[in-house]
Amino acid sequence: NNSNRKKLTNTKNVMEEEVKETKPPSKKKRTPNNSNRKKPTPKSKRKQKPKSLSTFDYKGRLATNVSPDFRCGFVTIVGAPNMGKSTLLNALLKEDLCIATSRPQTTRHAILGILTSQKAQVCLMDTPGIISQPAYKLQHGMMEAVKNSVTTADALLVVTDVWQSSSEFMSNLDDDPLFQRVLTTNKPVIVAINKMDLSHGDDDNGHADPNKDSIAQAVSQWRRLLPNALAIVPVSAKEGPDHPNVTFLRQILLGEDVQGTYQKLQQEPQFVVVPEMFPSNDENNDDDDDDDADDDDIVR
């Protein structure tokens, strides 16, 4: 019996050892080692954030010390297709922001361009060309973009050209609902008659000689249509941002030293000035036969 008991105990011990070997080793709980952690710095030694935003100034950003007289507004550019709206926006911004091609309806959504100076900021919104009767959903969406831009704008910049300023084109505007909103709006309206370079010949020296009669006729047509327009400026956006008339239109939009700019640009041979560019305050003023308007009447 003793020998049997010894055998049973031995087998029992062997089985227990085998079970211990098959069991996975127990994972010991790790105690957090706080010796490697950084101690929090006291509030007195912490770096304080700058109270002003001067550290975030960068090139092209408005300065933080802006004058209280600083002004900002949205100007929506509207017009028929292929009038050069995108080309004019690039010329005003002095940047190639928009695609400018000879194909109509290249712009299919509103494009924002920002013109900034020391005293003002103009947010110019380029829009697709106005279509009186959209044919498919894409054109309907484009016209909705135009309507939304006109509704949210502070001022309107109507872009046309010397050919679209004919009496036939003016008669078609009576049936256009969007242009009727422009005619009846209380917002300031500026008209840019683009492509005045197409109404010229060449002088004896081979330089462009604008035909002032056709340009004056176009300005007169739009003055009858929009008698309260702030300005009707003939421009040639294709000539680039340094063209005198483009520079003059830029200063009108910014509202900065228009009279001084006008006097300086008078010395430029490419600067074109015609009567009725600005509204006349004198209702009883008789029309003069001279083509050149008086300086005070133009700058008024």
Side-chain angles (χ1 to χ4, degrees), residues 197 200-210 239 270:
D197 54 301
H200 65 68
D202 294 334
D203 57 9
D204 298 335
N205 298 326
H207 299 292
D209 186 17
E239 300 295 331
Q270 296 180 342

Side-chain angles (χ1 to χ4, degrees), residues 115-134:
L115 179 64
T116 306
S117 67
Q118 296 294 331
K119 297 181 180 179
Q121 185 179 72
V122 181
C123 301
L124 298 167
M125 191 72 68
D126 186 18
T127 59
I130 298 175
I131 304 174
S132 58
Q133 296 179 352

Side-chain angles (χ1 to χ4, degrees), residues 223 226-230 275-287 296-298 300:
R223 179 56 65 188
L226 298 172
N228 296 326
L230 292 181
E276 298 184 278
M277 285 178 57
F278 291 88
S280 177
N281 294 330
D282 188 4
E283 296 179 355
N284 298 323
N285 187 18
D286 296 331
D287 295 335
D296 296 335
D297 296 336
I298 290 293
R300 182 183 301 152

Side-chain angles (χ1 to χ4, degrees), residues 15-16 22 57 73 106 124-125 215 280:
M15 292 176 64
E16 289 178 355
T22 56
D57 290 340
T106 302
L124 298 167
M125 191 72 68
I215 296 175
S280 177

Side-chain angles (χ1 to χ4, degrees), residues 77 84-101 111 113 115 124 126 237 240-242 246 250:
I77 304 174
K85 297 183 293 296
S86 300
T87 306
L88 181 59
L89 176 60
N90 293 338
L92 291 173
L93 298 177
K94 298 183 180 181
E95 295 287 346
D96 292 333
L97 177 65
C98 302
I99 300 175
T101 64
I111 300 176
L115 179 64
L124 298 167
D126 186 18
D242 296 330
V246 176
R250 186 186 299 115

Side-chain angles (χ1 to χ4, degrees), residues 160-162 165 191-196 218-219 222 232-235:
T160 180
D161 62 12
V162 291
S165 301
V191 180
I193 301 179
N194 196 15
K195 303 180 183 180
M196 71 174 187
V219 173
W222 278 98
I232 302 176
V233 184
V235 295

Side-chain angles (χ1 to χ4, degrees), residues 43-249:
K43 293 184 179 180
S44 59
K45 295 183 179 181
R46 291 180 184 177
K47 293 183 179 179
Q48 296 181 357
K49 294 182 180 180
K51 296 182 180 179
S52 63
L53 297 176
S54 59
T55 56
F56 298 99
D57 290 340
Y58 53 87
K59 185 179 180 181
R61 185 184 183 275
L62 286 176
T64 54
N65 52 350
V66 178
S67 172
D69 297 331
F70 191 88
R71 294 292 178 265
C72 178
F74 283 82
V75 178
T76 296
I77 304 174
V78 295
N82 206 15
M83 291 293 101
K85 297 183 293 296
S86 300
T87 306
L88 181 59
L89 176 60
N90 293 338
L92 291 173
L93 298 177
K94 298 183 180 181
E95 295 287 346
D96 292 333
L97 177 65
C98 302
I99 300 175
T101 64
S102 58
R103 181 178 179 180
Q105 297 295 334
T106 302
T107 304
R108 296 189 174 183
H109 61 277
I111 300 176
L112 177 63
I114 300 177
L115 179 64
T116 306
S117 67
Q118 296 294 331
K119 297 181 180 179
Q121 185 179 72
V122 181
C123 301
L124 298 167
M125 191 72 68
D126 186 18
T127 59
I130 298 175
I131 304 174
S132 58
Q133 296 179 352
Y136 43 89
K137 289 186 177 180
L138 177 60
Q139 291 184 348
H140 281 283
M142 293 161 63
M143 294 305 99
E144 286 296 326
V146 177
K147 292 179 182 178
N148 294 335
S149 299
V150 171
T151 303
T152 58
D154 298 312
L156 300 177
L157 176 60
V158 180
V159 180
T160 180
D161 62 12
V162 291
W163 306 116
Q164 293 289 348
S165 301
S166 61
S167 58
E168 181 181 358
F169 175 75
M170 295 297 180
S171 61
N172 294 332
L173 291 181
D174 297 335
D175 301 330
D176 192 282
L178 192 56
F179 264 107
Q180 287 299 322
R181 292 179 60 182
V182 175
L183 297 178
T184 58
T185 184
N186 294 326
K187 299 177 181 179
V189 178
I190 300 174
V191 180
I193 301 179
N194 196 15
K195 303 180 183 180
M196 71 174 187
D197 54 301
L198 298 180
S199 64
H200 65 68
D202 294 334
D203 57 9
D204 298 335
N205 298 326
H207 299 292
D209 186 17
N211 187 356
K212 288 189 177 182
D213 293 335
S214 60
I215 296 175
Q217 183 179 1
V219 173
S220 178
Q221 290 280 357
W222 278 98
R223 179 56 65 188
R224 293 192 190 97
L225 184 65
L226 298 172
N228 296 326
L230 292 181
I232 302 176
V233 184
V235 295
S236 181
K238 186 179 178 182
E239 300 295 331
D242 296 330
H243 191 273
N245 286 67
V246 176
T247 303
F248 190 47
L249 178 60

